Amino acid sequence: MVSRAETFRALHDRAAPGDPLVLPGPWDAASARVFADAGFPALATPSAGVAAALGHVDGKTPADEMFAAVARICRAVDVPVSADVEGGYGLPPKELVERLLEAGAVGCNLEDSAGGVLKDPHRHAQWLAEVVAAAGGELFVNARVDTFAYGDGDPEQAVARAAAYVAAGADCVYPIFAPAELLPLLRSDIQGPVNALARLDGTGPSPAELGERGATRITFGPGLQRRAAAALREITEELLPRPTSRPGCP
């Protein structure tokens, strides 16, 4: 029987230029059902979106709350779910893997920075290798590369970090905030799938365009949760009572 992790991995293998794997980011069970019912084959939770839903600032969600939220999302749908668990919450690789699998996740997103500072790539690669070994193929590991978020934006440094993480066994790398014009260069120098961030404000390329430039899969960060919150604010404005003027009053 094919495991959900194998099914999820195969989705990346089938991605073609111009037709990348698009993974919406649910922040709770209800949003997960909406995306799954729409026909998306898999989902990827955003840590910032989940944090907002739980009432936390991004990066400040307690580990227990994050894993509980991921578990609720995984239980709500029949499609594979990858979980953004930030930097791993300081958990040993074995415990991190166990908690992800217990929650029902088939993959994870792991950052190579902490507190806005890039981690040493060699030590981080070693840690990733331990996570991969503990997972035994049951988790698809997406290694985030934060060179464009917290480093100097040097594409060579991003490629070097990505290469170290791929060598450690990461299934995919995620150079978050990489300029779209650099995707062809990154794609040519990075082995394996590449994750790109798509913006929902109309200021960047579409998912299809990002795929044509080299992205294997597309995620949205907290973009969908924030757009949903903006829509809800518009609805609530319609619900508020309007002040009315009395006859004879200005």
Side-chain angles (χ1 to χ4, degrees):
M1 182 177 178
V2 178
S3 69
R4 281 194 171 189
E6 291 172 319
T7 298
F8 188 60
R9 193 168 280 110
L11 291 173
H12 294 76
D13 294 337
R14 290 198 292 269
D19 188 24
L21 174 61
V22 177
L23 300 175
W27 53 94
D28 59 14
S31 59
R33 290 193 187 100
V34 169
F35 298 140
D37 289 346
F40 288 97
L43 310 175
T45 70
S47 62
V50 174
L54 296 174
H56 296 294
V57 175
D58 183 25
K60 299 298 183 180
T61 306
D64 287 348
E65 291 190 40
M66 182 62 76
F67 286 113
V70 170
R72 288 191 292 271
I73 289 169
C74 291
R75 286 197 302 267
V77 295
D78 291 327
V79 299
V81 177
S82 180
D84 182 349
V85 288
E86 304 176 289
Y89 307 111
L91 298 172
K94 185 175 183 295
E95 182 178 353
L96 175 61
V97 168
E98 288 174 350
R99 298 197 67 173
L100 282 163
L101 294 177
E102 287 172 359
V106 301
C108 60
N109 188 72
L110 295 168
E111 304 169 2
D112 71 342
S113 65
V117 179
L118 291 173
K119 297 177 181 178
D120 178 86
H122 303 294
R123 286 199 293 270
H124 186 62
Q126 182 178 2
W127 181 77
L128 284 174
E130 294 174 6
V131 171
V132 171
E138 292 303 308
L139 284 175
F140 184 97
V141 177
N142 186 36
R144 205 175 89 174
V145 178
D146 285 355
T147 304
F148 299 99
Y150 302 118
D152 59 7
D154 179 3
E156 291 187 4
Q157 182 185 147
V159 168
R161 284 178 170 267
Y165 305 157
V166 170
D171 297 283
C172 182
V173 292
Y174 180 17
I176 190 171
F177 299 135
E181 61 270 18
L182 288 181
L183 276 176
L185 172 63
L186 297 174
R187 169 71 280 169
S188 65
D189 290 340
I190 293 175
Q191 299 296 316
V194 174
N195 190 150
L197 176 72
R199 300 181 183 277
L200 296 172
D201 56 6
T203 61
S206 68
E209 290 170 333
L210 290 170
E212 290 170 354
R213 296 186 188 196
T216 310
R217 82 179 205 175
I218 308 297
T219 52
F220 303 90
L224 288 160
Q225 182 271 329
R226 290 174 180 172
R227 188 162 178 174
L232 188 58
R233 280 193 292 272
E234 292 181 5
I235 294 172
T236 56
E237 289 175 0
E238 298 175 4
L239 302 178
L240 289 171
R242 302 293 181 182
T244 56
S245 59
R246 297 177 181 177
C249 295

